């Protein structure tokens, strides 16, 4: 897809939602980091339900570390992979206290050295916490980017690199939010709601469903 059509797609998405935000609930950069770690392979809604209780009791590295893995599990037991996530979160808190004065690092390489933090998580934190134009490619972004034709690839890194290259600079800050929203509520996995899609005319998806209202 040429850059003119890609720009038109983001113009439409921006007009529909000028200032998109993550649906994760948090008050600090640290709480965002923990929320994103917990959000792997689960929904933001389930993470928010857990962290609403957790952060009231323990919303800092010191307090979560003091809880320990077993007590942390009680708060996040409803979240998928909670055993591994509890271990990663506690270890991340330990590292933040020991090496970073309780602060969240602001560069991707350092973030990725924290337990439970992959490239997507680092990109989401950098974007939401530090206002950097990074693009976190989750399953929604991956699916929508391939279907629309704005960044087609066989893996998330390939899609991320193409998005970085293809998305106009003025749209990069919010690009992954717009794509997540589109994928979460319209361009859904099994049966996309093409009739409700605001960028339908630009989409290259060969299996578009026309009459879904």
């Amino acid at each position: 897809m040429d850059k003119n059509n890609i720009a038109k797609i983001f113009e439409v998405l921006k007009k529909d939602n000028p200032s998109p935000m993550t649906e994760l609930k948090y008050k600090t950069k640290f709480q965002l980091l923990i929320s994103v770690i917990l959000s792997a392979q689960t929904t933001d809604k389930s993470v928010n339900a857990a962290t609403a209780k957790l952060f009231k009791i323990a919303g800092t590295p010191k307090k979560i570390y003091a809880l320990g893995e077993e007590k942390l599990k009680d708060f996040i037991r409803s979240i998928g992979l909670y055993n591994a996530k509890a271990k990663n979160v506690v270890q991340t808190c330990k590292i933040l206290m020991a090496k970073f004065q309780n602060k969240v690092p602001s560069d991707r390489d350092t973030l990725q050295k924290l337990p439970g933090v992959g490239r997507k998580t680092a990109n989401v934190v950098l974007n939401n916490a530090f206002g950097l134009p990074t693009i976190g490619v989750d399953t929604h972004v991956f699916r929508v980017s391939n279907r629309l034709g704005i960044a087609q690839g066989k893996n998330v890194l390939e899609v991320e690199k193409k998005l970085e290259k293809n998305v106009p600079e003025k749209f990069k800050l919010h690009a992954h939010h717009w794509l997540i929203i589109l994928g979460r509520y319209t361009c859904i996995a099994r049966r996309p709601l093409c009739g409700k899609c605001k960028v339908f005319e630009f989409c290259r998806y060969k299996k578009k469903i026309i009459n879904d209202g």
Side-chain angles (χ1 to χ4, degrees):
M1 182 181 292
D2 65 69
K3 288 199 173 185
N4 285 334
N5 280 334
I6 292 175
K8 289 177 182 177
I9 287 173
F10 284 102
E11 287 283 5
V12 172
L13 296 176
K14 180 180 180 180
K15 183 177 180 180
D16 184 58
N17 188 349
S19 301
M21 298 176 64
T22 177
E23 294 183 357
L24 292 171
K25 305 297 183 184
Y26 64 95
K27 292 182 179 180
T28 66
K29 293 180 175 67
F30 168 73
Q31 290 180 5
L32 172 65
L33 171 63
I34 299 306
S35 295
V36 181
I37 292 174
L38 294 176
S39 72
Q41 299 183 48
T42 192
T43 65
D44 289 355
K45 183 177 180 180
S46 63
V47 172
N48 289 336
T51 57
K53 298 175 182 179
L54 172 63
F55 292 155
K56 284 183 179 179
I57 302 298
T60 65
K62 183 178 180 179
K63 288 183 178 180
I64 289 183
Y65 184 72
L67 276 181
E69 285 184 40
E70 293 307 314
K71 289 185 178 179
L72 178 57
K73 288 177 187 179
D74 291 337
F75 287 96
I76 66 171
R77 201 171 297 275
S78 59
I79 297 175
L81 306 174
Y82 70 90
N83 284 311
K85 289 176 181 179
K87 181 177 181 179
N88 287 336
V89 166
V90 170
Q91 288 302 308
T92 287
C93 290
K94 181 178 181 180
I95 293 170
L96 292 179
M97 289 189 296
K99 296 184 178 181
F100 300 103
Q101 295 77 49
N102 297 305
K103 297 184 182 298
V104 176
S106 59
D107 70 277
R108 184 160 52 203
D109 289 342
T110 305
L111 279 169
Q112 285 187 257
K113 293 177 182 177
L114 297 173
V117 178
R119 188 179 179 91
K120 187 268 290 187
T121 296
N123 282 341
V124 171
V125 171
L126 292 174
N127 182 273
N128 289 279
F130 297 97
L132 299 179
T134 50
I135 300 176
V137 180
D138 66 358
T139 56
H140 298 301
V141 176
F142 181 81
R143 180 176 67 254
V144 171
S145 298
N146 273 286
R147 283 180 175 175
L148 284 175
I150 61 175
Q152 294 178 314
K154 296 180 180 180
N155 57 65
V156 293
L157 183 59
E158 196 173 324
V159 169
E160 180 191 330
K161 292 297 184 181
K162 288 185 177 180
L163 286 171
E164 288 179 348
K165 179 181 178 181
N166 296 342
V167 176
E169 287 296 328
K170 64 180 179 179
F171 298 120
K172 281 185 179 177
L173 180 61
H174 295 310
H176 85 270
H177 286 126
W178 285 315
L179 296 175
I180 287 171
I181 292 168
L182 187 62
R184 185 172 286 164
Y185 300 109
T186 305
C187 192
I188 55 181
R190 292 187 178 181
R191 185 179 173 85
L193 305 176
C194 299
K196 297 180 180 179
C197 182
K198 298 181 183 299
V199 293
F200 175 87
E201 64 181 294
F202 304 105
C203 182
R204 290 185 174 181
Y205 187 44
K206 294 180 179 180
K207 299 180 181 180
K208 283 189 279 192
I209 300 170
I210 308 300
N211 298 316
D212 57 27

